Amino acid sequence: MGLAWTSMGGDILFIEATETPAGAGNLKLTGKMGDVMTESAAIAWSYVKKKGVTTTTHEKTFYKEHDFHLHIPAGAIPKDGPSAGITMATALYSLLSGRRAKHKVAMTGELSLVGKVLPVGGIKEKVLAARRAGIATLILPKLNEKDVQDVPKYALKGMTVHYVNHVEEVFQLALEGSKSTKLAKPGTKSQPTREESRVLRKKTRVQIRA
């Protein structure tokens, strides 16, 4: 699950990934993503595809014979910004590796082409959004650690915060440990908790900046 900043405060992002056979290696993006977020998705896919070739049993031809689809629900709401980069990479790697995403884990961070996790803005608002959504584990860029000082202490109570420098750390924290070499079934994703579903239903029609 990703975290975003909006004009109304922080919000959460559900990101879904699936694949379709008999494709041509294309990555389809839906969910009204802006230019910056589209670039972040391309970076995430380049990193994950390269990793998938070396860490799964999928041959290089697999990526030429399937299409892949990344979607952010609430499609009527415009979304932009770079901080969903590590979330999109995690969703894509979860798909390729078969490692399911853990529940009640949220993250934010820009992703570089070599896997570095870069700092983002709106940390206070994003942490408050995570609190409202009942998040238990929060993953933030190491370079944003100083910004957490501005977050009210009550918002962090009972929440475990991890500060990371590289997306490989994110994969270890956000995905279940058992590793499968088979691709997850198309459309497979972790089901949102009751609290997450409540927050998703309450999304307002405002522009989201990830």
Side-chain angles (χ1 to χ4, degrees):
M1 184 189 302
L3 296 169
W5 177 92
T6 77
S7 58
M8 302 292 290
D11 206 347
I12 58 174
L13 292 175
F14 293 95
I15 297 182
E16 303 170 348
T18 189
E19 60 84 30
T20 54
N26 298 316
L27 176 65
K28 183 177 182 179
L29 305 175
T30 53
K32 209 166 185 180
M33 301 184 198
D35 291 342
V36 176
M37 183 173 277
T38 298
E39 291 178 356
S40 294
I43 291 171
W45 180 231
S46 291
Y47 182 87
V48 169
K49 184 165 62 172
K50 181 178 180 181
K51 178 179 174 63
V53 170
T54 58
T55 62
T56 72
T57 58
H58 303 310
E59 301 292 340
K60 291 183 179 180
T61 54
F62 169 84
Y63 299 95
K64 298 179 180 179
E65 297 169 350
H66 291 72
D67 284 340
F68 303 86
H69 190 167
L70 196 65
H71 176 65
I72 303 180
I77 303 175
K79 309 169 189 72
D80 207 358
S83 69
I86 64 171
T87 315
M88 292 188 284
T90 301
L92 288 167
Y93 187 61
S94 173
L95 173 71
L96 293 182
S97 67
R99 294 171 59 181
R100 289 183 175 272
K102 297 177 182 178
H103 286 297
K104 296 187 177 181
V105 177
M107 64 192 75
T108 184
E110 181 177 352
L111 177 67
S112 80
L113 197 55
V114 294
K116 292 182 179 180
V117 179
L118 306 177
V120 295
I123 292 298
K124 178 180 177 180
E125 292 80 6
K126 291 174 181 179
V127 173
L128 291 173
R131 177 71 180 185
R132 292 193 299 270
I135 296 301
T137 302
L138 189 60
I139 303 173
L140 300 175
K142 177 68 175 176
L143 293 175
N144 278 123
E145 187 172 2
K146 63 183 184 301
D147 299 310
V148 177
Q149 298 174 4
D150 298 328
V151 178
K153 291 184 179 179
Y154 77 85
L156 296 169
K157 187 176 181 180
M159 187 185 299
T160 301
V161 183
H162 297 277
Y163 300 100
V164 299
N165 290 306
H166 199 277
V167 72
E168 293 296 334
E169 299 172 67
V170 179
F171 295 157
Q172 293 302 315
L173 292 167
L175 301 178
E176 293 181 355
S178 57
K179 192 173 182 180
S180 171
T181 55
K182 294 183 179 180
L183 189 68
K185 292 181 180 179
T188 299
K189 59 182 178 62
S190 298
Q191 295 298 317
T193 64
R194 181 181 301 177
E195 182 65 18
E196 291 167 357
S197 297
R198 182 187 68 80
V199 174
L200 184 60
R201 289 195 298 270
K202 289 180 65 178
K203 278 182 177 290
T204 54
R205 288 179 175 272
V206 295
Q207 184 169 359
I208 293 176
R209 290 194 62 80

mmCIF file of all heavy atoms in Angstrom, residues 12 44 51 55 76 78 95 98 102-103 108 112 118 125 129 136 144 147 167 169 176 180 192 208:
data_model
loop_
_atom_site.group_PDB
_atom_site.id
_atom_site.type_symbol
_atom_site.label_atom_id
_atom_site.label_comp_id
_atom_site.label_asym_id
_atom_site.label_seq_id
_atom_site.Cartn_x
_atom_site.Cartn_y
_atom_site.Cartn_z
ATOM 1 N N ILE A 12 -4.125 7.165 1.263
ATOM 2 C CA ILE A 12 -3.474 5.905 0.945
ATOM 3 C C ILE A 12 -3.747 5.529 -0.503
ATOM 4 O O ILE A 12 -4.735 5.953 -1.097
ATOM 5 C CB ILE A 12 -3.950 4.770 1.879
ATOM 6 C CG1 ILE A 12 -5.458 4.580 1.788
ATOM 7 C CG2 ILE A 12 -3.523 5.042 3.309
ATOM 8 C CD1 ILE A 12 -5.969 3.390 2.575
ATOM 9 N N ALA A 44 10.254 1.632 -12.103
ATOM 10 C CA ALA A 44 9.973 0.453 -11.283
ATOM 11 C C ALA A 44 9.974 -0.812 -12.131
ATOM 12 O O ALA A 44 10.545 -1.845 -11.738
ATOM 13 C CB ALA A 44 8.629 0.620 -10.584
ATOM 14 N N LYS A 51 15.570 -7.662 -12.290
ATOM 15 C CA LYS A 51 15.690 -8.529 -11.123
ATOM 16 C C LYS A 51 14.989 -9.863 -11.349
ATOM 17 O O LYS A 51 15.488 -10.920 -10.963
ATOM 18 C CB LYS A 51 15.104 -7.827 -9.894
ATOM 19 C CG LYS A 51 15.134 -8.661 -8.606
ATOM 20 C CD LYS A 51 14.564 -7.879 -7.435
ATOM 21 C CE LYS A 51 14.465 -8.743 -6.189
ATOM 22 N NZ LYS A 51 15.802 -9.209 -5.711
ATOM 23 N N THR A 55 16.273 -13.725 -10.570
ATOM 24 C CA THR A 55 15.821 -14.297 -9.300
ATOM 25 C C THR A 55 14.588 -15.183 -9.422
ATOM 26 O O THR A 55 14.142 -15.742 -8.421
ATOM 27 C CB THR A 55 15.523 -13.186 -8.275
ATOM 28 O OG1 THR A 55 14.464 -12.358 -8.779
ATOM 29 C CG2 THR A 55 16.753 -12.339 -8.014
ATOM 30 N N ALA A 76 -11.045 7.904 -11.256
ATOM 31 C CA ALA A 76 -11.506 9.246 -11.634
ATOM 32 C C ALA A 76 -10.673 10.345 -10.999
ATOM 33 O O ALA A 76 -10.788 11.513 -11.369
ATOM 34 C CB ALA A 76 -12.971 9.426 -11.231
ATOM 35 N N PRO A 78 -7.210 12.264 -10.385
ATOM 36 C CA PRO A 78 -5.858 12.431 -10.935
ATOM 37 C C PRO A 78 -4.796 12.133 -9.877
ATOM 38 O O PRO A 78 -4.952 12.491 -8.709
ATOM 39 C CB PRO A 78 -5.819 13.906 -11.353
ATOM 40 C CG PRO A 78 -7.247 14.319 -11.453
ATOM 41 C CD PRO A 78 -7.987 13.518 -10.437
ATOM 42 N N LEU A 95 4.145 -9.753 -7.942
ATOM 43 C CA LEU A 95 3.529 -10.493 -9.051
ATOM 44 C C LEU A 95 4.491 -11.509 -9.646
ATOM 45 O O LEU A 95 4.150 -12.686 -9.833
ATOM 46 C CB LEU A 95 3.071 -9.511 -10.129
ATOM 47 C CG LEU A 95 2.554 -10.117 -11.428
ATOM 48 C CD1 LEU A 95 1.198 -10.788 -11.199
ATOM 49 C CD2 LEU A 95 2.456 -9.053 -12.516
ATOM 50 N N GLY A 98 5.730 -14.215 -6.854
ATOM 51 C CA GLY A 98 4.726 -15.007 -6.148
ATOM 52 C C GLY A 98 4.730 -14.771 -4.654
ATOM 53 O O GLY A 98 3.999 -15.446 -3.918
ATOM 54 N N LYS A 102 2.427 -8.315 2.605
ATOM 55 C CA LYS A 102 1.946 -8.427 3.981
ATOM 56 C C LYS A 102 0.826 -7.416 4.224
ATOM 57 O O LYS A 102 0.780 -6.360 3.605
ATOM 58 C CB LYS A 102 3.108 -8.168 4.956
ATOM 59 C CG LYS A 102 4.237 -9.170 4.859
ATOM 60 C CD LYS A 102 5.373 -8.802 5.808
ATOM 61 C CE LYS A 102 6.548 -9.764 5.687
ATOM 62 N NZ LYS A 102 7.680 -9.375 6.576
ATOM 63 N N HIS A 103 -0.061 -7.747 5.151
ATOM 64 C CA HIS A 103 -1.152 -6.850 5.504
ATOM 65 C C HIS A 103 -0.655 -5.728 6.415
ATOM 66 O O HIS A 103 0.330 -5.878 7.144
ATOM 67 C CB HIS A 103 -2.265 -7.620 6.210
ATOM 68 C CG HIS A 103 -3.079 -8.471 5.290
ATOM 69 N ND1 HIS A 103 -3.845 -7.937 4.270
ATOM 70 C CD2 HIS A 103 -3.247 -9.823 5.221
ATOM 71 C CE1 HIS A 103 -4.454 -8.917 3.627
ATOM 72 N NE2 HIS A 103 -4.104 -10.062 4.172
ATOM 73 N N THR A 108 6.271 4.809 1.330
ATOM 74 C CA THR A 108 6.400 5.918 0.398
ATOM 75 C C THR A 108 7.874 6.128 0.121
ATOM 76 O O THR A 108 8.718 5.945 0.996
ATOM 77 C CB THR A 108 5.762 7.208 0.962
ATOM 78 O OG1 THR A 108 5.834 8.248 -0.024
ATOM 79 C CG2 THR A 108 6.456 7.680 2.228
ATOM 80 N N SER A 112 15.025 5.138 -7.672
ATOM 81 C CA SER A 112 15.957 5.438 -8.760
ATOM 82 C C SER A 112 16.122 4.196 -9.627
ATOM 83 O O SER A 112 15.720 3.091 -9.241
ATOM 84 C CB SER A 112 17.315 5.878 -8.207
ATOM 85 O OG SER A 112 18.089 4.755 -7.816
ATOM 86 N N LEU A 118 14.783 7.311 -2.589
ATOM 87 C CA LEU A 118 15.057 8.737 -2.445
ATOM 88 C C LEU A 118 13.975 9.417 -1.608
ATOM 89 O O LEU A 118 12.838 8.948 -1.532
ATOM 90 C CB LEU A 118 15.132 9.382 -3.830
ATOM 91 C CG LEU A 118 16.116 8.720 -4.800
ATOM 92 C CD1 LEU A 118 16.053 9.394 -6.167
ATOM 93 C CD2 LEU A 118 17.537 8.760 -4.246
ATOM 94 N N GLU A 125 1.803 14.320 6.763
ATOM 95 C CA GLU A 125 0.458 14.005 6.294
ATOM 96 C C GLU A 125 0.312 12.523 5.941
ATOM 97 O O GLU A 125 -0.727 11.909 6.192
ATOM 98 C CB GLU A 125 0.117 14.860 5.070
ATOM 99 C CG GLU A 125 -0.038 16.343 5.357
ATOM 100 C CD GLU A 125 1.300 17.074 5.466
ATOM 101 O OE1 GLU A 125 2.352 16.450 5.214
ATOM 102 O OE2 GLU A 125 1.280 18.282 5.792
ATOM 103 N N ALA A 129 -2.123 9.664 7.627
ATOM 104 C CA ALA A 129 -3.018 8.838 6.812
ATOM 105 C C ALA A 129 -2.834 7.361 7.139
ATOM 106 O O ALA A 129 -3.801 6.595 7.204
ATOM 107 C CB ALA A 129 -2.757 9.096 5.331
ATOM 108 N N ALA A 136 0.244 -0.967 10.559
ATOM 109 C CA ALA A 136 1.095 -1.420 11.657
ATOM 110 C C ALA A 136 2.577 -1.231 11.351
ATOM 111 O O ALA A 136 3.382 -1.025 12.260
ATOM 112 C CB ALA A 136 0.823 -2.893 11.954
ATOM 113 N N ASN A 144 14.432 10.667 4.964
ATOM 114 C CA ASN A 144 13.269 11.366 5.515
ATOM 115 C C ASN A 144 13.142 11.173 7.025
ATOM 116 O O ASN A 144 12.172 11.648 7.632
ATOM 117 C CB ASN A 144 11.976 10.887 4.857
ATOM 118 C CG ASN A 144 11.703 11.544 3.525
ATOM 119 O OD1 ASN A 144 11.548 10.861 2.507
ATOM 120 N ND2 ASN A 144 11.657 12.868 3.500
ATOM 121 N N ASP A 147 12.301 14.119 9.143
ATOM 122 C CA ASP A 147 10.967 14.706 8.985
ATOM 123 C C ASP A 147 9.937 14.086 9.914
ATOM 124 O O ASP A 147 8.886 14.684 10.171
ATOM 125 C CB ASP A 147 10.498 14.549 7.533
ATOM 126 C CG ASP A 147 11.424 15.265 6.557
ATOM 127 O OD1 ASP A 147 11.717 16.446 6.789
ATOM 128 O OD2 ASP A 147 11.845 14.626 5.576
ATOM 129 N N VAL A 167 15.625 -0.396 -2.415
ATOM 130 C CA VAL A 167 14.345 -1.077 -2.596
ATOM 131 C C VAL A 167 14.407 -2.551 -2.218
ATOM 132 O O VAL A 167 13.383 -3.157 -1.866
ATOM 133 C CB VAL A 167 13.845 -0.905 -4.051
ATOM 134 C CG1 VAL A 167 14.678 -1.751 -5.020
ATOM 135 C CG2 VAL A 167 12.361 -1.243 -4.173
ATOM 136 N N GLU A 169 15.587 -3.673 0.469
ATOM 137 C CA GLU A 169 15.154 -3.666 1.865
ATOM 138 C C GLU A 169 13.627 -3.622 1.936
ATOM 139 O O GLU A 169 13.013 -4.247 2.811
ATOM 140 C CB GLU A 169 15.740 -2.469 2.601
ATOM 141 C CG GLU A 169 17.264 -2.411 2.650
ATOM 142 C CD GLU A 169 17.752 -1.096 3.229
ATOM 143 O OE1 GLU A 169 17.518 -0.860 4.436
ATOM 144 O OE2 GLU A 169 18.333 -0.289 2.468
ATOM 145 N N GLU A 176 5.979 -11.394 1.934
ATOM 146 C CA GLU A 176 6.139 -12.599 2.737
ATOM 147 C C GLU A 176 7.421 -13.321 2.343
ATOM 148 O O GLU A 176 7.854 -13.262 1.200
ATOM 149 C CB GLU A 176 4.925 -13.519 2.552
ATOM 150 C CG GLU A 176 3.642 -12.941 3.130
ATOM 151 C CD GLU A 176 2.458 -13.866 2.952
ATOM 152 O OE1 GLU A 176 2.622 -14.913 2.290
ATOM 153 O OE2 GLU A 176 1.374 -13.544 3.470
ATOM 154 N N SER A 180 8.124 -18.042 -4.221
ATOM 155 C CA SER A 180 7.654 -18.959 -5.256
ATOM 156 C C SER A 180 8.277 -18.577 -6.584
ATOM 157 O O SER A 180 8.431 -17.405 -6.887
ATOM 158 C CB SER A 180 6.127 -18.901 -5.371
ATOM 159 O OG SER A 180 5.695 -19.617 -6.500
ATOM 160 N N PRO A 192 -7.861 -6.097 1.056
ATOM 161 C CA PRO A 192 -7.740 -5.047 2.059
ATOM 162 C C PRO A 192 -8.446 -5.430 3.342
ATOM 163 O O PRO A 192 -9.422 -6.182 3.335
ATOM 164 C CB PRO A 192 -8.412 -3.847 1.388
ATOM 165 C CG PRO A 192 -9.347 -4.443 0.401
ATOM 166 C CD PRO A 192 -8.666 -5.685 -0.079
ATOM 167 N N ILE A 208 -4.458 13.715 -6.209
ATOM 168 C CA ILE A 208 -3.513 13.016 -5.333
ATOM 169 C C ILE A 208 -2.108 13.180 -5.864
ATOM 170 O O ILE A 208 -1.840 12.952 -7.037
ATOM 171 C CB ILE A 208 -3.864 11.513 -5.248
ATOM 172 C CG1 ILE A 208 -5.207 11.332 -4.524
ATOM 173 C CG2 ILE A 208 -2.772 10.748 -4.544
ATOM 174 C CD1 ILE A 208 -5.666 9.902 -4.483
#
